[in-house]
Amino acid sequence: MFWGKIMTILKNKAFGVAAALLVAATVSPAYASSGNGTASVKILRAITVTKSSDLYFGKILPSATASTVAVAESGARTCGASLGCYDTATSGAFHVVGTSGEIVSVSLDSASTTLSDGASHSMTVNLATSTTALTLTGGAGDFKVAGTLNVGASQADGTYTGQYSVSVNYQ
């Protein structure tokens, strides 16, 4: 009988351990979830910038006093006191092509440039653009460059030229 009681106790304990293992095996782990993401890209057309017209101040007759000649984005010229201004002035103009509907930034690489006659004479021009941002409607847009020419007192005669650069980048 002694061995019978021990066997009963062992059976009950074995049953308890088996029951505990069974419960542990059937308990669900913490609920997990998953999701999906999307990867995408928009490929933009390379920007091209083409000069449509040069910034031209016209023909200037200097005087004994320094003065300025300004050409607005519209092409309208303002001739400084005591200067004579002749010929038709034009603002610089540029045509931009890129991806339709995109916005581009417009800037001058430098706010001024120097015009030289190829000898030792020069004048400076302060530059400005008609816009700093442009929406490429239909994939294209235009902007202008204005300038103020600083004409020296009794500026030497000659044809003065200089270069300036514009930068156009997607925003």
Side-chain angles (χ1 to χ4, degrees):
M1 177 91 189
F2 173 74
W3 288 111
K5 282 188 174 186
I6 290 183
M7 288 304 283
T8 302
I9 291 172
L10 287 176
K11 282 184 191 176
N12 288 341
K13 285 198 179 209
F15 177 75
V17 170
L21 288 173
L22 182 63
V23 168
T26 59
V27 172
S28 297
Y31 288 102
S33 182
S34 64
N36 295 317
T38 301
S40 65
V41 64
K42 181 175 184 179
I43 304 298
L44 301 174
R45 180 178 181 181
I47 296 172
T48 58
V49 180
T50 307
K51 177 184 70 171
S52 306
S53 68
D54 286 318
L55 175 58
Y56 177 62
F57 291 92
K59 297 176 182 177
I60 310 297
L61 179 62
S63 70
T65 346
S67 193
T68 60
V69 177
V71 175
E73 289 91 355
S74 66
R77 178 180 51 208
T78 304
C79 195
S82 72
L83 296 178
C85 292
Y86 307 95
D87 210 0
T88 303
T90 58
S91 60
F94 292 87
H95 184 69
V96 180
V97 175
T99 300
S100 183
E102 291 296 318
I103 298 172
V104 295
S105 63
V106 174
S107 63
L108 291 158
D109 291 351
S110 177
S112 66
T113 191
T114 301
L115 307 184
S116 172
D117 66 354
S120 60
H121 307 105
S122 63
M123 294 181 279
T124 59
V125 178
N126 299 317
L127 302 164
T129 60
S130 58
T131 186
T132 57
L134 183 65
T135 301
L136 300 179
T137 305
D142 298 287
F143 69 94
K144 305 250 177 135
V145 175
T148 301
L149 175 66
N150 298 295
V151 180
S154 302
Q155 185 76 45
D157 67 325
T159 300
Y160 291 75
T161 59
Q163 299 289 312
Y164 62 92
S165 297
V166 296
S167 292
V168 178
N169 296 295
Y170 285 111
Q171 292 187 352

